[in-house]
Amino acid sequence: MSHGRVGMGAVTRRNVWGRVKAMIYIASAALFILAPGYGLAYERDPYLHNTLIGTISFQQLKYKTMSESNRSTSVNKDFIQVYSLTMRGKIFSRRLLIYDLGVRLDKVSGSAASNDRISRHKQTGTDYSFSTTALPLSAIPLTLSASHTKSNDVGYVNYGQLTRTYGLNWNVKMRGLPQMRLSLQQSSASGTRTNSLTRTYMFTARKKAGITDNNVALRKYTHVNNGTGENNSTASINYGNRTRFSRKTEMTATALKDTATSTVGGNDNAASVDMNLYSSPGDDFSQNHSYTYNSTKSKDKNELTLYAGDIDYSITDRLGAALSLSTVSNSITSMGSNLRNENVTSANRLRYMLTRRLAWVTSFTYSSAESNAPDSQINLRNHSRETVATGLSYRRQFKPFTLATSYKIGYTEEKVGTDRKAKGYQRKRGLTQGASLGLGRVRVWDYALVNASAQYTKTQNLAQDLINDTFLYHMSIMNAAGAGARYARAKASYTKRTTDAWNAKFNTRAESYGLSLKSTYFKRTKLMLNADKKSTTNGLTGTLRTEKMSAVMGHKRSSFLGETEFDAEADRSKTNDQANAKTVSIDRQKMKLKQTLSYFKATVFTLNVNRVGMNNGETKGERSRSVSAALRHSRVLFSGRLNANYSYMLNRTLYAAALERYSTRTLSLEYTKALFESVLWEGAFLRSRTKGEILYGTIPDVTEVKTALYYQFREWLFGTEISNRVSRTKHDRYTDKRVMFTISRQFVRVW
């Protein structure tokens, strides 16, 4: 057994000596062949001259890991070689032809010894790349590219792969023709674990013709893996159009078609169309329309159609009309069944000014919801409402306030269900009356501006039976200039809406509160506070309560203490969904304090304090808080730069079953000094300690010492790095020792 070890050592010494000789031969050849070049100032255009860039790098790496718990030791040695050569320039002329040619060779050879077992590995990688562009400065540049990459790994996994990639890119930008771009790429990979072919085709075009701007994009992607039999492909076409008929009339349209096929995941198809039209040719007419269609098809089919439009037209100086319509249609086909839902809402209004302040208003509103779901008629999913009303509205501006009031009377018809003979069909008709009163911008003792409004609508049938009652209250108050508006802007609002219907499932209760505060009065300081609370109760969907609150504060200033930055954020949201018996509560807090102090322009102290907290009420009982502080000291010491960092982090997380609390302290020192004109020395020290109870995972205590020495000799760089790292956990102690030698050289030739 001992003879085997001696023989292995002899072989190892021969291999080391062979590597040293190889380094000497290569370095000698580089000294003669790759002679030092002259100084070069890089120009903006890298293809104005022919340029040759070469790089050689050698690294000898050794790292040793020891574990005390199982008394194991592993030693890894790697010798890394990198050779690269890049050439770029022009052929005949910069306008005629440019090229990029590159070669790179990576070689890694090493061994790993653990528990008297030695394994060796070799990794090689070769990459050849070439690209050329014809007529690069013209309107039709054409680029061709190719690359050849080969990699082999022998020892650990015995893996090899060869990748070839070819590409073409052609741009066309000529007057009178569309701007076009054609891109083709093919990549093939063959090796131990893969045998695949990938192709990508892409074409884009854009053309401005008069008032229209059109663009189209075509893309096709195919991937075939002969080893697994997997075959994937996607194809898409995207079209966009923008037409400006005038300065205030514009239409946009986009269309997308996407198809994906796979032997593993099946086939997927998607299509969408979006159209928008906005027009306001004058003060008397404006319109806005939008249409959206989405369709997805795989195992199931889902189609969604949306339309929303409104028109506002002033027929004469006294007569005006407004129309609006929105529709939503959704169809889902799954497992042989089709579920369809449709919603339509329409509101039309005719307004005639009898006097400068009094107007006669007639309106027609319609809303409907239809569904073919089972028992949809019994569950009130199919219902409609039609209302025709007419009345008077009055608005007048007084000096201390603005008055707005209205009264209307009309006819309402409600239906539940579409089939009169089916179970659950109901129909209600009656007379509706409504009144509203509003006061706006009421000045209260020059301190506040108040807006208040109330609206009441009641509908009864001919037998005086109640169909529905609707109350709407709204009030808002904001501070005026005399109440410190130059210091801060404050606003509070309250809204309440109640509806009592003939069927309890149509009853609704909605209530909301709002509060906002914003101030930028103080220099370099911002303050914002927002709070909202909403509660909605519906006979069909139950009760939904939402609470949101957020606060932001920021301050930045300079003083004798240096630069101070302070930011604080806090937000809270809570949602209570009674229908789904679900309550979600999330709290977040964030605070940041940064203090920078300069002393004699050579010492800089930086203090960072961060506090982040989160409480997720959806996961019951989980809360987390973390506080971190950092102190940084930087100064010039003995003609070198010293950086010292100290950080402290406290983390507290409360899970459903236990409390996790721990703190981490980290100290790091870095020192860099130029010993001589061409010698640079770096030293670093790191120490990290963690205390507390960690429930999931471990955080080791780390102590690391690192030193590095670099020597610049003409175009050659010699470097040595040595590090020792000790990691302690509750059950083990690891020691990592690392030594690395580096030799590299880069040269540049220009002609």
Side-chain angles (χ1 to χ4, degrees):
M1 196 68 174
S2 61
H3 296 288
R5 292 183 180 178
V6 172
M8 183 60 70
V11 173
T12 303
R13 287 193 294 271
R14 295 193 195 99
N15 291 339
V16 172
W17 174 241
R19 295 172 186 169
V20 173
K21 289 194 296 182
M23 291 178 60
I24 295 174
Y25 293 153
I26 296 174
S28 301
L31 286 174
F32 288 98
I33 299 174
L34 306 179
Y38 49 84
L40 176 67
Y42 288 96
E43 301 184 35
R44 296 189 176 206
D45 190 351
Y47 300 98
L48 193 58
H49 303 283
N50 294 317
T51 307
L52 180 65
I53 303 174
T55 303
I56 299 176
S57 175
F58 306 102
Q59 288 184 348
Q60 179 66 50
L61 178 63
K62 177 181 178 181
Y63 45 98
K64 182 178 181 180
T65 303
M66 294 178 291
S67 174
E68 288 187 354
S69 62
N70 52 15
R71 297 181 180 180
S72 63
T73 301
S74 63
V75 179
N76 296 283
K77 299 178 181 179
D78 286 324
F79 180 63
I80 305 171
Q81 307 172 59
V82 178
Y83 309 90
S84 68
L85 194 63
T86 303
M87 182 184 298
R88 66 169 56 99
K90 60 184 178 180
I91 299 178
F92 300 116
S93 172
R94 173 67 174 88
R95 296 179 176 273
L96 180 61
L97 198 68
I98 60 174
Y99 66 92
D100 286 87
L101 180 64
V103 180
R104 180 185 173 97
L105 173 64
D106 295 86
K107 297 183 66 176
V108 179
S109 58
S111 63
S114 177
N115 298 331
D116 295 333
R117 294 182 179 178
I118 300 178
S119 59
R120 302 185 182 279
H121 66 277
K122 288 185 178 181
Q123 299 174 358
T124 58
T126 307
D127 179 70
Y128 304 94
S129 62
F130 172 76
S131 68
T132 180
T133 302
L135 306 176
L137 301 180
S138 69
I140 52 171
L142 175 64
T143 301
L144 302 175
S145 62
S147 66
H148 176 100
T149 304
K150 184 178 182 181
S151 60
N152 289 291
D153 190 343
V154 179
Y156 287 156
V157 293
N158 293 327
Y159 174 75
Q161 180 172 316
L162 176 63
T163 304
R164 294 186 177 94
T165 303
Y166 307 96
L168 179 146
N169 195 342
W170 186 34
N171 291 304
V172 177
K173 188 177 181 181
M174 301 181 68
R175 182 178 300 178
L177 295 178
Q179 299 179 19
M180 295 179 291
R181 180 184 178 187
L182 177 64
S183 178
L184 309 176
Q185 182 174 311
Q186 175 178 298
S187 178
S188 62
S190 60
T192 308
R193 301 178 181 178
T194 182
N195 185 9
S196 62
L197 178 64
T198 303
R199 292 190 177 98
T200 304
Y201 312 90
M202 184 179 295
F203 173 78
T204 61
R206 181 181 180 183
K207 174 63 175 177
K208 292 184 179 181
I211 62 174
T212 65
D213 186 359
N214 303 274
N215 63 82
V216 63
L218 307 175
R219 185 179 184 274
K220 184 175 178 61
Y221 168 84
T222 61
H223 176 78
V224 179
N225 193 329
N226 297 321
T228 61
E230 182 180 355
N231 189 343
N232 302 323
S233 66
T234 60
S236 65
I237 176 172
N238 194 343
Y239 171 76
N241 172 273
R242 179 182 180 183
T243 304
R244 294 184 64 92
F245 298 97
S246 64
R247 187 170 59 90
K248 293 185 177 181
T249 302
E250 179 178 304
M251 184 182 70
T252 60
T254 59
L256 172 66
K257 175 68 175 178
D258 193 357
T259 303
T261 61
S262 174
T263 56
V264 178
N267 301 333
D268 296 325
N269 295 303
S272 67
V273 176
D274 291 285
M275 300 182 68
N276 294 277
L277 172 64
Y278 170 77
S279 176
S280 180
D283 297 335
D284 57 347
F285 180 81
S286 66
Q287 62 176 336
N288 194 358
H289 304 273
S290 64
Y291 172 80
T292 301
Y293 171 79
N294 290 322
S295 174
T296 59
K297 183 178 179 181
S298 54
K299 295 181 180 179
D300 303 331
K301 184 179 181 180
N302 190 339
E303 292 184 346
L304 178 65
T305 304
L306 305 173
Y307 169 78
D310 59 80
I311 298 176
D312 197 344
Y313 179 46
S314 297
I315 303 174
T316 65
D317 294 340
R318 291 177 175 267
L319 182 63
L323 309 174
S324 67
L325 175 66
S326 66
T327 63
V328 179
S329 177
N330 183 224
S331 176
I332 302 175
T333 304
S334 176
M335 301 179 64
S337 63
N338 179 265
L339 178 63
R340 179 174 47 82
N341 297 295
E342 293 184 0
N343 294 276
V344 178
T345 303
S346 175
N348 308 295
R349 186 188 65 184
L350 190 66
R351 183 185 183 93
Y352 181 76
M353 299 299 298
L354 300 175
T355 65
R356 189 164 56 94
R357 301 185 181 95
L358 183 63
W360 170 63
V361 181
T362 300
S363 63
F364 171 75
T365 59
Y366 172 80
S367 63
S368 68
E370 294 184 7
S371 174
N372 66 344
D375 298 330
S376 60
Q377 185 159 297
I378 300 177
N379 296 330
L380 307 180
R381 294 184 182 273
N382 294 335
H383 59 85
S384 63
R385 176 182 295 176
E386 300 176 8
T387 301
V388 179
T390 185
L392 299 173
S393 67
Y394 179 80
R395 182 181 179 89
R396 183 172 181 179
Q397 176 73 47
F398 294 95
K399 188 174 181 180
F401 62 88
T402 300
L403 172 66
T405 182
S406 67
Y407 173 79
K408 66 178 181 179
I409 185 172
Y411 171 80
T412 295
E413 178 176 316
E414 279 193 41
K415 295 179 183 179
V416 175
T418 55
D419 188 358
R420 297 185 178 183
K421 298 181 180 180
K423 182 180 179 181
Y425 177 81
Q426 300 181 54
R427 182 182 181 185
K428 294 288 181 179
R429 293 177 294 179
L431 188 67
T432 180
Q433 300 181 70
S436 66
L437 176 64
L439 298 175
R441 300 189 67 83
V442 181
R443 186 174 294 273
V444 182
W445 299 301
D446 290 335
Y447 290 104
L449 296 176
V450 178
N451 297 315
S453 63
Q455 181 178 331
Y456 172 67
T457 303
K458 185 176 182 178
T459 304
Q460 292 179 316
N461 60 14
L462 298 179
Q464 300 299 312
D465 294 331
L466 178 68
I467 295 180
N468 66 59
D469 261 351
T470 302
F471 295 87
L472 176 63
Y473 312 94
H474 175 76
M475 183 176 181
S476 64
I477 182 171
M478 64 184 68
N479 62 327
R486 65 182 184 133
Y487 299 103
R489 280 288 184 182
K491 181 181 179 181
S493 63
Y494 171 75
T495 304
K496 183 177 181 179
R497 180 188 180 94
T498 62
T499 300
D500 294 324
W502 57 272
N503 193 310
K505 291 188 176 181
F506 289 139
N507 291 346
T508 59
R509 298 286 188 274
E511 194 172 16
S512 63
Y513 305 85
L515 176 65
S516 64
L517 177 67
K518 183 178 181 181
S519 174
T520 57
Y521 174 76
F522 301 100
K523 237 180 220 185
R524 300 177 295 272
T525 302
K526 62 178 179 180
L527 294 170
M528 287 187 293
L529 176 65
N530 294 284
D532 294 295
K533 183 178 180 180
K534 297 180 182 179
S535 176
T536 304
T537 303
N538 188 282
L540 293 174
T541 60
T543 302
L544 179 66
R545 294 186 178 91
T546 303
E547 297 179 9
K548 294 181 180 180
M549 185 176 66
S550 63
V552 177
M553 179 180 179
H555 179 73
K556 182 178 181 181
R557 66 179 301 138
S558 301
S559 64
F560 69 96
L561 294 176
E563 294 289 337
T564 304
E565 293 182 20
F566 175 77
D567 292 297
E569 298 178 12
D571 63 84
R572 179 185 182 187
S573 63
K574 183 179 180 181
T575 303
N576 186 353
D577 190 351
Q578 188 185 51
N580 299 317
K582 184 178 181 181
T583 300
V584 178
S585 178
I586 300 177
D587 296 336
R588 296 186 182 93
Q589 306 91 34
K590 182 179 180 181
M591 185 184 71
K592 177 183 178 182
L593 173 63
K594 182 179 180 180
Q595 178 68 49
T596 303
L597 175 62
S598 299
Y599 179 68
F600 291 135
K601 297 183 180 180
T603 304
V604 178
F605 293 96
T606 303
L607 175 65
N608 289 282
V609 179
N610 297 288
R611 184 178 186 272
V612 180
M614 181 175 177
N615 178 14
N616 189 350
E618 185 175 8
T619 306
K620 186 177 180 181
E622 287 194 11
R623 296 193 302 271
S624 64
R625 300 286 188 273
S626 64
V627 180
S628 63
L631 175 64
R632 183 175 184 269
H633 172 66
S634 177
R635 65 169 298 162
V636 176
L637 182 64
F638 301 114
S639 301
R641 172 62 63 177
L642 173 66
N643 294 322
N645 296 275
Y646 177 79
S647 63
Y648 172 82
M649 185 189 69
L650 176 63
N651 186 80
R652 184 180 185 272
T653 304
L654 177 63
Y655 295 97
L659 173 66
E660 180 183 73
R661 179 170 180 167
Y662 62 90
S663 61
T664 302
R665 296 175 174 84
T666 304
L667 173 65
S668 64
L669 300 173
E670 297 178 359
Y671 185 73
T672 304
K673 180 179 175 60
L675 301 180
F676 304 100
E677 185 178 354
S678 302
V679 179
L680 180 67
W681 175 73
E682 293 180 359
F685 172 79
L686 173 68
R687 185 178 178 87
S688 176
R689 291 291 181 267
T690 301
K691 294 182 180 180
E693 186 68 23
I694 303 175
L695 300 180
Y696 304 100
T698 59
I699 300 179
D701 295 338
V702 178
T703 301
E704 183 178 8
V705 179
K706 179 181 177 181
T707 183
L709 191 66
Y710 301 99
Y711 172 62
Q712 183 78 34
F713 177 72
R714 294 184 180 179
E715 287 77 21
W716 289 90
L717 177 64
F718 301 88
T720 302
E721 297 181 11
I722 302 174
S723 65
N724 186 26
R725 182 185 181 95
V726 179
S727 303
R728 294 177 181 269
T729 61
K730 189 175 181 180
H731 305 288
D732 205 348
R733 179 179 184 270
Y734 298 92
T735 302
D736 297 322
K737 298 181 179 180
R738 185 171 181 266
V739 180
M740 184 176 68
F741 300 97
T742 303
I743 302 176
S744 64
R745 184 187 190 276
Q746 184 180 39
F747 77 95
V748 179
R749 285 296 184 89
V750 179
W751 67 95

